[in-house]
Amino acid sequence: MKKANGIVLDKQGKPDYCTPSSFRIIVLLETVSKILKRLSALCLASAARSLGLLHPNQCGSLAGLGCFDAVATLTHEVRLLQAASFQVSTLFLDIKGGFDNVCANKLATTLTKGGVSAYLVAWIKSFLSKRQWRLIFHGAPKVFCPVAVGTPQGSPISPLLFVLFIASLHPTLPQGLAISYVDDLTITVGSDSVRSNIRAVQYYFGSVQRQGADLGVAFSVPKTELIHWRTPKDRSDVTFAPIVINDMRFPPSQVVRWLGYWLTPTLHSSVHFLRRLALAKASFTTIQQLSAAAKGLSSCSTGS
């Protein structure tokens, strides 16, 4: 049960596929193994909730908390801060190679300190230790190799283990909120000015980055996005004040796609629905083209 095949899949929308970051690995596990891990995930989720090991602002990989809950919480917090006459800004972060960075020993220590039963901690540590994978793609040697860190993407318990592993990355904000969906983290702050927001966001990002380094987790800085929110009645000049992170400059975006939702500074829903409609039309056109091609092949077969 500690051996598995890793299927290498392309990540959609990449400009080129010359680097490993343009691919993801989905691990195929034995059926009996997946059943066992699913049962263990149910036990661990129940224990984590009762012991308070999950941050209240974490969504994803948890029963009853999906993308809509995360987006609704973010928009509610933005409107709440705006109602208090604050300028509001949000920084969108992405954890680099999330599942690949889970350390068995650090996770086991966290669970033990949190009060999880010794037998369940031992099972999780065993599950994450002494694993062997082999990658399946054209030209691969098909030889099993040891994996020293990480949890297999494709296992029923892996998302929950990752969420527990990064629970401590959520900072407590006096005027704002940090929300995450699996490996996507947002930091929302409110103050009297956009400049103050930028200083606050930079400070909290530095804090989160240092905590992540202690866990062995890093952020994909090029994927960072910033948005300065506005109310629909705001008639002041649009601000383009950027944020500088790790010597990289990020101007505020006018549209941010987060968890499948397109968000604008005024939180107007028309942009989201128009883009979803365009995607639906494109998908329908593709289906029609494939159907026509299939009919053409069928006609050729019949004719021959």
Side-chain angles (χ1 to χ4, degrees):
M1 294 207 182
K2 289 183 176 289
K3 290 185 176 182
N5 294 324
I7 307 300
V8 181
L9 301 177
D10 301 350
K11 291 183 179 178
Q12 296 182 357
K14 293 293 182 179
D16 62 73
Y17 293 89
C18 300
T19 60
S21 61
S22 299
F23 303 87
R24 66 165 50 90
I25 300 174
I26 300 297
V27 179
L28 301 183
L29 305 169
E30 295 288 344
T31 302
V32 174
S33 172
K34 295 188 75 171
I35 294 173
L36 176 62
K37 293 175 179 63
R38 178 60 178 167
L39 294 174
S40 298
L42 293 174
C43 294
L44 180 59
S46 177
R49 287 183 183 275
S50 61
L51 295 170
L53 297 180
L54 295 166
H55 195 278
N57 297 333
Q58 282 184 293
C59 301
S61 306
L62 304 170
L65 292 173
C67 296
F68 175 79
D69 299 284
V71 175
T73 303
L74 173 63
T75 56
H76 174 74
E77 182 65 19
V78 171
R79 292 303 191 205
L80 199 63
L81 290 169
Q82 288 178 335
S85 301
F86 287 127
Q87 296 291 328
V88 188
S89 304
T90 297
L91 187 68
F92 296 84
L93 303 169
D94 181 82
I95 296 176
K96 185 188 300 183
F99 286 25
D100 299 333
N101 297 315
V102 177
C103 174
N105 291 330
K106 291 181 179 179
L107 178 60
T109 301
T110 300
L111 296 178
T112 300
K113 290 181 179 179
V116 177
S117 59
Y119 79 90
L120 189 54
V121 174
W123 185 94
I124 292 169
K125 192 172 181 179
S126 174
F127 163 63
L128 295 176
S129 303
K130 300 180 180 179
R131 301 190 60 83
Q132 291 185 331
W133 294 357
R134 62 179 177 184
L135 298 181
I136 306 299
F137 61 92
H138 183 68
K142 297 183 180 180
V143 176
F144 283 102
C145 298
V147 179
V149 70
T151 181
Q153 190 166 348
S155 172
I157 198 173
S158 293
L160 178 59
L161 294 179
F162 176 74
V163 167
L164 288 168
F165 187 65
I166 66 165
S168 62
L169 292 184
H170 295 70
T172 301
L173 312 181
Q175 292 175 348
L177 196 65
I179 308 168
S180 70
Y181 184 91
V182 191
D183 58 353
D184 293 301
L185 177 67
T186 67
I187 299 176
T188 301
V189 298
S191 70
D192 295 331
S193 68
V194 171
R195 295 290 180 182
S196 297
N197 287 349
I198 291 175
R199 289 193 294 269
V201 165
Q202 287 179 320
Y203 170 79
Y204 289 120
F205 173 77
S207 176
V208 170
Q209 191 177 42
R210 289 189 294 273
Q211 291 181 356
D214 293 338
L215 292 175
V217 171
F219 291 90
S220 181
V221 176
K223 294 182 179 180
T224 301
E225 291 189 271
L226 172 70
I227 192 168
H228 298 310
W229 305 101
R230 296 167 59 86
T231 63
K233 297 181 179 180
D234 192 349
R235 297 294 180 265
S236 61
D237 294 336
V238 177
T239 178
F240 296 99
I243 188 173
V244 178
I245 294 179
N246 293 0
D247 297 326
M248 296 183 65
R249 184 174 179 271
F250 297 93
S253 302
Q254 295 307 303
V255 179
V256 171
R257 187 184 183 186
W258 190 57
L259 308 182
Y261 289 82
W262 281 270
L263 305 173
T264 64
T266 57
L267 288 173
H268 202 286
S269 59
S270 60
V271 173
H272 170 73
F273 287 112
L274 287 173
R275 298 209 177 191
R276 294 294 297 179
L277 183 60
L279 287 176
K281 288 181 178 179
S283 299
F284 181 71
T285 302
T286 302
I287 292 173
Q288 285 184 318
Q289 293 173 346
L290 292 174
S291 178
K295 288 180 179 179
L297 291 175
S298 177
S299 299
C300 291
S301 304
T302 304
S304 61

